[in-house]
Amino acid sequence: MTSQNAGEENLAAMTNAWSAMTRGFLRSATAANRAAVSAMLPSVDGETDSETNRVAPSIPSIDYSDLDWQFDRTVDDPDHISVGDTVTFEKALTDEDVRVFAAVSGDTNRLHLDEAFASDTRFGERIVHGTLVSGLISSALARLPGLTIYLSQDLEFSGPVGVGDRVSARVEIVEDLGNDQYRLETVVRDEDDDATVIDGEAVVLIDDLPAE
């Protein structure tokens, strides 16, 4: 077997393993979230909510959420979105998140993966990929009502995020551009360090959700 063939087989094996892991995660997260939503629903005629009585969550994206993730927003109806509306999304960025992101993206910078190496850098420890941190902005946008489509994003990084830190992303609509397009202020904070780590602006299109 040539080294090229061996490399192709290894890549295929890694891809299949990642796909299987992702499917399993989504199934587990979906089941856990549905259970949590069901537990929070009021009883019907004195009985607990059943499969047949379950009410679908108001945001389709929630169906794929992890119970450790948190979010809040100021608007629930896409027809009522206006300047000043906000969404905040928060989660811890774990060692597993960092290693999976490195494998998927190909960004295997030792600063993110090698503790001994990172301890000798200006940061003194491993830090989370900047792109992974900024990805929480997209997580917040996914929880706007309607179907949010990214059109542009400007970012300025002002500090690192340590592995395991809890991070929040807050998006606020600051301008209605017409044609269902909006300009938003986007801010990411490291809650453990009480510091802003990313400032920026995004432009999105909020489309109608497809019919079920």
Side-chain angles (χ1 to χ4, degrees):
M1 179 183 296
T2 67
S3 60
Q4 180 178 356
N5 289 337
E8 291 175 351
E9 289 184 2
N10 288 337
L11 178 60
M14 289 176 62
T15 301
N16 290 337
W18 166 246
S19 298
M21 183 180 70
T22 302
R23 289 193 298 270
F25 169 77
L26 290 178
R27 284 195 295 268
S28 299
T30 299
N33 187 70
R34 283 176 173 166
V37 171
S38 178
M40 291 186 290
L41 291 173
S43 61
V44 178
D45 293 331
E47 299 179 356
T48 57
D49 185 56
S50 66
E51 283 288 335
T52 56
N53 290 326
R54 178 176 290 124
V55 176
S58 61
I59 314 171
S61 302
I62 293 179
D63 211 27
Y64 297 94
S65 291
D66 186 286
L67 293 179
D68 181 57
W69 304 349
Q70 299 177 9
F71 86 96
D72 59 64
R73 66 180 186 178
T74 60
V75 60
D76 294 320
D77 187 335
D79 293 332
H80 296 158
I81 290 175
S82 62
V83 171
D85 282 324
T86 64
V87 178
T88 301
F89 176 86
E90 182 177 323
K91 76 178 294 287
L93 292 176
T94 65
D95 178 68
E96 181 182 7
D97 292 332
V98 171
R99 296 190 182 280
V100 169
F101 183 82
V104 172
S105 68
D107 182 352
T108 55
N109 188 327
R110 292 172 68 189
L111 179 60
H112 309 304
L113 303 171
D114 186 331
E115 193 68 57
F117 173 84
S119 66
D120 291 330
T121 69
R122 68 173 64 219
F123 303 106
E125 63 177 353
R126 290 168 54 211
I127 63 172
V128 180
H129 301 75
T131 308
L132 175 54
V133 177
S134 66
L136 268 64
I137 296 172
S138 184
S139 304
L141 292 173
R143 284 154 178 82
L144 282 166
L147 177 62
T148 305
I149 301 169
Y150 247 134
L151 299 181
S152 68
Q153 175 76 65
D154 294 324
L155 297 173
E156 181 176 341
F157 295 84
S158 55
V161 170
V163 177
D165 287 1
R166 194 159 190 89
V167 180
S168 67
R170 182 180 185 274
V171 300
E172 178 178 352
I173 296 175
V174 295
E175 185 178 1
D176 185 339
L177 301 174
N179 297 319
D180 298 321
Q181 297 181 33
Y182 300 88
R183 183 170 63 89
L184 301 98
E185 177 185 69
T186 58
V187 178
V188 181
R189 291 182 52 80
D190 186 327
E191 298 298 336
D192 287 357
D193 289 342
D194 191 25
T196 296
V197 293
I198 298 177
D199 278 308
E201 285 191 350
V203 175
V204 301
L205 166 68
I206 300 183
D207 216 347
D208 293 333
L209 289 170
E212 292 293 337

